Amino acid sequence: MIDVGILGLDTSHAEKFAAAIDDRPDATVAGVWDGGKVREESYVSAFREEYGAVRYDRPDAMVEEVDAAMVLTADWDRHRPIAEGFLEAGVPTCIDKPIAGHLGDVEVLQATADRSGTPICGGSAVPHHPSIDDMRDDDGGHDLFAAGYNGPFYYGVHLTDTARRVCDADWTAIEPTTHGSATAISFADGSTATLRFDGPTNPSAFGFLDVGETIRTARINGDETELERMYDPFIDTFLATARGERDDADWLFDAATLLLGVQAALENGVVVEPGSPELAAVDRDGAAFVEGYEPLY
């Protein structure tokens, strides 16, 4: 039995992921911690009681008590300090999207995971949707076109993570386009992705067109059926990581820097490469985001 620790109940993901874990015969929600920034005390208590989990006052108190951890705080600036302790202790860890708001946190997390050899996963659940997973069947280059909504960072991560997952190669350059809030991304294997972040919000959806060995399309909206189609394989990936059967470190950290690179390209109107000073200068404030954050339920 895999004892899972949930850290951060801010978003709807905690409840969705916990329910999926509870449905698995080999896993249980054993521990919970919440920072009290978004949820009322009654919500945290009800969550703990529903899953029969032990509640911890500090994230580090959970490190020695669980087999795997999910870091789910809406404040992405808390991801690195929370996850670092679990990674150092060899506890397989999932970090929710977006991984970090500046390059320094990404680099520390990557160095910690590399040094400890601890498997890691996370990011957006959208790349785990079956229609996106089908796009990854092609061998060789991809030309991906995608559109999303609600801005290029907190929701834009769904596009950047998906582009990195489908193209399956490190990104090499990001160029802002003249058409709205959009970027053209180049990858090491010759694949490209054109991502537009200011798509319509009513109805809200993520749309993808992939031109590889075949032409494939996907439209993913936010209804419950579509969410479950993403969340179930996302949790399967997490539990495989917990069992030591996979490690998503390479793509996860490259995707995290890609998201930051998109911000740099759009802000500065320049082509951004992995070593560009504009990339290192990006700083998205997670605490400020949480001040105005309203959970879905």
Side-chain angles (χ1 to χ4, degrees), residues 111-256:
T112 304
D114 287 348
R115 184 174 62 253
S116 64
T118 305
I120 189 169
C121 65
S124 167
V126 170
H128 297 264
H129 191 281
S131 62
I132 300 299
D133 202 47
D134 286 345
M135 293 179 181
R136 300 177 61 227
D137 290 342
D138 283 354
D139 294 324
H142 294 259
D143 290 310
L144 180 70
F145 304 86
Y149 61 97
N150 276 3
F153 189 69
Y154 189 70
Y155 286 91
V157 65
H158 295 301
L159 298 186
T160 55
D161 276 12
T162 300
R164 177 57 179 81
R165 195 77 164 185
V166 169
C167 295
D168 199 26
D170 289 352
W171 67 274
T172 57
I174 306 165
E175 180 178 1
T177 73
T178 58
H179 185 70
S181 178
T183 58
I185 302 163
S186 301
F187 294 88
D189 70 342
S191 294
T192 65
T194 300
L195 310 181
R196 182 171 175 178
F197 302 95
D198 59 351
T201 59
N202 188 20
S204 59
F206 298 102
F208 302 90
L209 165 65
D210 177 53
V211 183
E213 291 181 347
T214 62
I215 296 175
R216 292 169 172 156
T217 62
R219 183 183 184 279
I220 302 171
N221 59 36
D223 68 33
E224 288 298 315
T225 300
E226 292 295 278
L227 291 177
E228 288 179 7
R229 294 183 73 196
M230 295 186 295
Y231 291 160
D232 276 339
F234 184 86
I235 292 302
D236 288 338
T237 292
F238 166 61
L239 294 177
T241 303
R243 291 190 293 266
E245 297 170 358
R246 65 181 290 162
D247 185 355
D248 284 354
D250 288 345
W251 92 263
L252 185 69
F253 293 123
D254 194 60

Side-chain angles (χ1 to χ4, degrees), residues 39-171:
R39 298 295 188 180
E40 299 291 338
E41 172 62 27
S42 59
Y43 182 92
V44 182
S45 296
F47 184 95
R48 184 203 66 76
E49 291 175 5
E50 180 174 359
Y51 295 100
V54 175
R55 183 173 178 181
Y56 293 86
D57 294 331
R58 308 183 321 277
D60 62 332
M62 198 190 299
V63 170
E64 301 296 331
E65 306 300 327
V66 297
D67 302 313
M70 302 194 85
V71 181
L72 308 179
T73 57
D75 180 354
W76 51 80
D77 290 334
R78 306 192 79 173
H79 290 173
R80 192 269 304 160
I82 293 173
E84 202 174 354
F86 289 91
L87 294 171
E88 288 175 343
V91 179
T93 301
C94 173
I95 305 177
D96 204 2
K97 62 86 183 171
I99 300 298
H102 57 91
L103 185 61
D105 275 356
V106 177
E107 292 176 338
V108 169
L109 286 167
Q110 186 169 18
T112 304
D114 287 348
R115 184 174 62 253
S116 64
T118 305
I120 189 169
C121 65
S124 167
V126 170
H128 297 264
H129 191 281
S131 62
I132 300 299
D133 202 47
D134 286 345
M135 293 179 181
R136 300 177 61 227
D137 290 342
D138 283 354
D139 294 324
H142 294 259
D143 290 310
L144 180 70
F145 304 86
Y149 61 97
N150 276 3
F153 189 69
Y154 189 70
Y155 286 91
V157 65
H158 295 301
L159 298 186
T160 55
D161 276 12
T162 300
R164 177 57 179 81
R165 195 77 164 185
V166 169
C167 295
D168 199 26
D170 289 352
W171 67 274

Side-chain angles (χ1 to χ4, degrees), residues 23 33 59 67 103 122 209 222 285 287 290 292 294 296:
D23 284 341
W33 168 86
D67 302 313
L103 185 61
L209 165 65
D285 190 335
V290 169
E294 292 290 340
L296 293 177

